[in-house]
Structure formats: C-alpha cells, structure tokens
Amino acid sequence: MAKNTLSFVCQNCGAAYNRWQGKCESCGEWNTLAEEDTTGSVPVSIRSKRKGRTFALESLSGKTQDAPRLSSGMTELDRVTGGGFVRGSVLLVGGDPGIGKSTLLTQATSMMARAGHRIVYISGEEAVAQVRLRAERLGLSDAPVQLAAETSVEDIVSTLSEGAVPRLIVIDSIQTMWTDTVESAPGTVTQVRASAQALIRFAKKTGAAIILVGHVTKDGQIAGPRVVEHMVDAVLSFEGEGSQQFRILRAVKNRFGPTDEIGVFEMSGLGLREVTNPSELFLSERDLGTPGTAVFAGIEGTRPVLVELQALVAPTSLGTPRRAVVGWDQSRLSMVLAVLEAHCGVKLSGHDVYLNVAGGLRIHEPAADMAAAAALVSSLVNAQLPTDAVYFGEISLSGVIRPVAQTPARLKEAVKLGFKRAVLPESARGGDAGGDAGLSLNAINSLTTLVAEIAARGSRRGEQSPPAEKNATPARFRRGEG
C-alpha cells in the first residue's frame, strides 16, 4: 500500500518543499506555500517497471499541411489568435474578474454554433441557468450551444468522447476542475496542472480546440503554476479598466500567430462590440488645448493606433518626489526623466510626475518616448501643444531621437483622423515617410530641440504664482473649511 507523501507546494510557481516556510525561494512570494498530498495514482515501483511502446519516426522532408483554422465570427478575436482557432490547439484566456471573459466567449461560441459547428460550453463556476440568463441578455439564447455545469475532468472527457467531436470546447474555469489522479483540493497547483494536462491530451488526440479560462492574481498575472502557460498553445490576456468601456484582448503567447496584435472591444448593454477604428475611439474625448497632453502615433501589431498621453508635473513637498504611471512602463518613464534632466536642463527632482495613457490602453513600444517627453515638458512650462500634431520617436540615453519602424503607417493613420503635423525623428523624414502622407513634418534630431520649442510657448507655473508656505493647506482643499 502506497504511503501518503505530504509536501508544501507554492501556489504561485509550483515549487515543492519538505517543510513549510514563509517565503518561496523559487519565485520570492510570501505565504504562498500550501500543504498538498503529492501521492500519485500509481506507485513509483510500478511506474518504473512499465515498458514503453514504440512509435514511428518521420523525416524533415515530409509533406506539411497548414493547420486548418476555425473562424470565431468576430474579426477582432480572429486577429489576435492569428486568423482563427487551430484544430487541436489549447488557449488560456485570463483577465480581471468582471472584465468580460465569459461575455466574450459566450458571443464567440454562439456565432460559431450558428454557423453549424458543434460547440460545448462547460461551466464550473456557474449553473446552466446562469449561463442561459447571460445568453438571453445578449440576445443569443437561440444559438445551439451545448451547455453543462461540471467540474470532473474524467466525466467531461467521457462525455465529449461520445458522438461527433466538438469543434470548440470552453472550460470556465480551469481552477474549478479536478481529476481523480491526484488527491489535492480543486484550485491547487497540483490539481490545475493535472486537469490541464488531461484536457490538453484530449485536444491533441481528437483535434478539438479548447479554451481554458484562468483566474488572475492581484498583480494581473494568471493564477496557478507558470507551467500551465508553457503547456498551452496560446495565452490571451483580456485587459481593461472597470470604469472604462474599452476592452483590449492581447496575445501574450501564440504558437500559431503573432503576439503583438490586439483586439479592441467596447462594452455595452448588449455585450462586447468590436471596434474597427480604435484610434477614433481613444481620441473621442480629447481635451483640446490643455497643457500636458500629446497624441502618440503607435503601432500595435500591424495596426496603427493613435492615443493621447496625459502628463501632470506639480511641485512636491515630499522628500522623495512621486513617480506614477498608468498604461506605460515605469522604468521607461524614469529613463526619460533622467535624460530630460541630464541633457536638457529640465529640473524635475522637486516635482511629482504623473503620466497616464487615455482610454485604458497599455503601450509597450519605445516609440512613445518623444510623446511622453513632450507631454511632460508641456505640463512643466504650462505650454499648449498643437492640437493637430502627433509625436513618435525613441529617445536614447544621449538625448538623440532614434527612428522607429513603420513610419508611413503611423502618418497615414494621422492623416485619416485629420491631423496636419507630425513631430518625428530626423532620419525618418526621407523617402516616402511624409511626402505622400500630406503632413507638415517637423524633424527632430535631439531632445534638446524639442524641449526648446515647447519652452518657447509658455512659462513655468512657479513664475505665475508665489510659492506656497511650508505645511500650508493647498488652495484646492480649502473649500471644505467652515
């Protein structure tokens, strides 16, 4: 009889220890170790004596067929997945609670079921009646989607093996699944890993595409062991702010398509609506003529996106100035501030700096450096930037503006939205970058030139009003005094 083996497994990375300790040495997280029974269903002595089976080997010169794809009926979802779902692929979809993961999958599965495909939706968190209520609210109750509320992986695999193989299977969510092969509680690292492995084996064997919905931690990372992300074929992240109606679907990993494409959706009363022109949506509520705002012409995959960067530079009374950024890289902001102070003479050591990307979009490319620098200097000197200008360019540590890729696509998108000017790197001015776009180009070679042009438009806020007394109540808080 096999002896029970207890160990302490980190619920964040999956590392196992013989005794409990406060901090996981593998990932550095605190209080993530939980006691689990790691005894397998088959003793080690038996598993070591099992003979392996032989399999056929093939050469590299064999014929390779393109994997057929299944369109979801939603253009934005197909863009992120690379053109549709591949047979036998497994996708992991993560996002904050209430962001719209179940709504997105309900809409996609309903469209595919109406197209004549067998679609199965397995819910481990909601009852069938709850899923039906969502479908009724979205106007999709007539779609022939097969529903079930089940958490046992063995029962799910046995049921799906009968009859025709489903084209798409949705498991909502993988944290609620459990298998008999391990004795840990549902949601633990061992159960999540074993359940995911059983579902992946079924997908590869039958050719059915499976979508696994995963929970996320408070840091926005998909909960559970990182090994699950390596097991699946694609990892999709559904992003967005709860106060914003915009939702961004981004591919973190994709074995069958690009990882730099995004899908833009707008949450409405009837579900998620696809946004074909996200630039117009992100710029629909601009504050024209306000200091500290600049329009950045960016690229997300193959799609140009124009978005507004908002900056606020205010004097601080703290010993250490605050640096806060939403939608951009914190270390990138620190680098831009250091270059401004070292090469341009812009003293920001006594100011709090806040930077925000409007609309809830997250920017990852370094081409936003010049737009962020323009917004910061504009807020500092209280100068209004041209409302019909776009900015893009990478800032080097020496203060030189470096060129970026796909300049013609950025300028073409700016012309389509009615912009008249573009501030771009000097080396990107030649060729067909601006001649055919119809824009007035302002080529900048160094960050010093850009700062000088913006500083000539306004004056510092400190010169317009006397300095505040130390420990005095700010004027914006004096309204509540009795």
Side-chain angles (χ1 to χ4, degrees), residues 162-174:
E162 298 179 355
V165 178
R167 293 299 304 273
L168 180 67
I169 304 168
V170 177
I171 305 296
D172 189 5
S173 66
I174 187 60

Side-chain angles (χ1 to χ4, degrees), residues 110 114 132 135-145:
S110 299
R114 287 175 176 176
R132 288 174 177 170
E136 183 178 357
R137 176 175 57 86
L138 300 176
L140 305 172
S141 56
D142 59 336
V145 178

Side-chain angles (χ1 to χ4, degrees), residues 32-376:
T32 58
L33 269 64
E35 186 178 7
E36 295 185 15
D37 187 357
T38 59
T39 303
S41 58
V42 182
V44 179
S45 58
I46 299 179
R47 291 200 305 265
S48 60
K49 296 179 180 180
R50 185 181 67 87
K51 294 183 178 180
R53 63 177 180 86
T54 59
F55 54 90
L57 300 176
E58 299 182 3
S59 63
L60 292 175
S61 59
K63 295 182 179 180
T64 302
Q65 298 180 356
D66 295 336
R69 293 182 180 268
L70 176 63
S71 176
S72 64
M74 305 181 70
T75 306
E76 296 297 310
L77 181 57
D78 290 341
R79 176 192 296 270
V80 178
T81 56
F85 302 112
V86 179
R87 287 181 176 270
S89 63
V90 180
L91 292 81
L92 179 62
V93 179
D96 295 331
I99 202 66
K101 301 185 297 296
S102 300
T103 301
L104 174 65
L105 296 178
T106 301
Q107 293 182 227
T109 52
S110 299
M111 293 182 182
M112 297 169 65
R114 287 175 176 176
H117 303 290
R118 186 192 178 192
I119 309 299
V120 179
Y121 193 105
I122 306 295
S123 176
E125 299 179 349
E126 298 177 311
V128 174
Q130 294 176 292
V131 180
R132 288 174 177 170
L133 286 176
R134 183 189 303 112
E136 183 178 357
R137 176 175 57 86
L138 300 176
L140 305 172
S141 56
D142 59 336
V145 178
Q146 299 178 352
L147 302 177
E150 184 59 52
T151 57
S152 174
V153 174
E154 284 76 16
D155 295 345
I156 293 174
V157 172
S158 177
T159 302
L160 297 178
S161 300
E162 298 179 355
V165 178
R167 293 299 304 273
L168 180 67
I169 304 168
V170 177
I171 305 296
D172 189 5
S173 66
I174 187 60
Q175 273 79 14
T176 60
M177 298 293 119
W178 63 278
T179 175
D180 293 334
T181 57
V182 294
E183 299 181 1
S184 301
T188 58
V189 168
T190 306
Q191 278 287 1
V192 170
R193 183 166 45 199
S195 301
Q197 181 61 43
L199 294 172
I200 291 173
R201 191 183 308 111
F202 174 79
K204 303 303 180 183
K205 180 180 179 180
T206 61
I210 297 181
I211 298 179
L212 306 177
V213 179
H215 294 170
V216 297
T217 62
K218 60 182 179 180
D219 298 331
Q221 303 294 331
I222 297 179
R226 301 286 300 193
V227 68
V228 175
E229 299 185 20
H230 299 291
M231 294 163 58
V232 299
D233 299 308
V235 179
L236 306 182
S237 176
F238 207 36
E239 306 170 354
E241 299 291 338
S243 59
Q244 298 282 351
Q245 69 270 28
F246 313 130
R247 300 292 187 268
I248 308 296
L249 183 64
R250 188 186 304 274
V252 181
K253 168 191 174 182
N254 194 354
R255 291 175 179 169
F256 306 107
T259 57
D260 52 2
E261 293 283 359
I262 65 169
V264 184
F265 300 87
E266 182 181 8
M267 179 64 75
S268 62
L270 298 177
L272 292 169
R273 183 181 65 87
E274 298 182 73
V275 179
T276 57
N277 190 358
S279 300
E280 185 177 359
L281 184 64
F282 290 138
L283 299 177
S284 59
E285 300 179 359
R286 288 183 59 200
D287 295 332
L288 298 177
T290 303
T293 59
V295 178
F296 164 60
I299 293 289
E300 291 289 344
T302 59
R303 167 190 289 174
V305 176
L306 269 62
V307 65
E308 183 184 31
L309 297 185
Q310 303 170 350
L312 176 61
V313 180
T316 181
S317 59
L318 304 176
T320 303
R322 187 174 184 182
R323 305 287 187 256
V325 57
V326 177
W328 203 37
D329 190 8
Q330 178 76 37
S331 59
R332 202 76 193 176
L333 174 62
S334 302
M335 188 206 74
V336 172
L337 295 178
V339 175
L340 284 173
E341 187 160 352
H343 297 285
C344 304
V346 181
K347 302 300 181 182
L348 297 171
S349 57
H351 294 77
D352 291 333
V353 176
Y354 303 89
L355 185 68
N356 176 51
V357 180
L361 181 67
R362 294 185 181 273
I363 299 176
H364 299 280
E365 61 171 335
D369 291 350
M370 188 157 64
L376 292 170

Side-chain angles (χ1 to χ4, degrees), residues 438-463:
L439 287 174
S440 175
L441 303 184
N442 182 12
I444 300 295
N445 186 34
S446 64
L447 187 59
T448 306
T449 306
L450 177 65
V451 172
E453 292 180 359
I454 299 176
R457 297 176 177 270
S459 59
R460 295 178 180 269
R461 288 190 176 92
E463 298 175 359

